[in-house]
Amino acid sequence: MKGRGLAIAVAAALGACAAAWAQDASITGRVTDARGESGLPGAIITIVELGRSTSSDPQGRYRFGALPDGRYTLRVSFVGADPVEQEISVSGGQLLSQDLRIGDDVARLNNVLIVGQAAGQASAINRQRASVNLVNVISSDAVGQLPDQNVAEALQRVPGVSITRDQGEGRFVTIRGIDSNLN
């Protein structure tokens, strides 16, 4: 009997929590280029009124949960594009899907010369900005442009990283301040 009373109390508490969660609205969506084809990873999406931010995943998807009813402004920032704002309204615990496109203000040209190095660097900077940890990102294009002999020597250019040399060539990467056995 005692166990059954406990089970009923737990079920009632879980039901109350589920009812409280069900009242909160959620926003999901995808950040893409102007055509809506390519998802943009590392874009930072902010709900201006609440001061809440998240970043888009590798496919450009994002999600905000537990939002109170109201009108909000979503702001998207991405290195290389002007910030974009979108007004939304949520109520009654709804799940709102709001895709965001950036780069609509880009001028259209007849002839275009594409240089991939800038895009790779912008992607590296966006990943660095959106990370929840302290990271440094170097794009493979940037490593290829450096005059270093190998990747270990290129990594010595990252703050907090050094290398040890073997026969004059950089071979082992060491994170400064950490025992080399932990690398």
Side-chain angles (χ1 to χ4, degrees), residues 55 126-135:
S55 61
N126 277 313
R127 292 179 97 177
Q128 199 166 301
R129 282 180 57 216
S131 177
V132 295
N133 297 319
L134 181 61
V135 297

Side-chain angles (χ1 to χ4, degrees), residues 43-128:
I44 296 178
I45 304 97
T46 304
I47 299 177
V48 176
E49 291 79 5
L50 299 178
R52 290 177 54 188
S53 295
T54 189
S55 61
S56 57
D57 69 8
Q59 289 76 36
R61 294 184 305 248
Y62 71 93
R63 183 182 197 305
F64 287 104
L67 296 173
D69 294 349
R71 295 184 58 79
Y72 301 110
T73 304
L74 291 178
R75 179 181 295 143
V76 181
S77 65
F78 190 80
V79 172
D82 290 334
V84 173
E85 291 189 354
Q86 177 72 43
E87 297 282 330
I88 59 162
S89 178
V90 294
S91 63
Q94 74 183 87
L95 174 60
L96 178 66
S97 179
Q98 182 66 51
D99 292 343
L100 303 164
R101 293 183 181 190
I102 61 175
D104 285 334
D105 57 348
V106 176
R108 304 290 179 215
L109 304 173
N110 290 333
N111 295 320
V112 177
L113 174 63
I114 298 173
V115 179
Q117 185 175 2
Q121 187 63 27
S123 176
I125 291 169
N126 277 313
R127 292 179 97 177
Q128 199 166 301

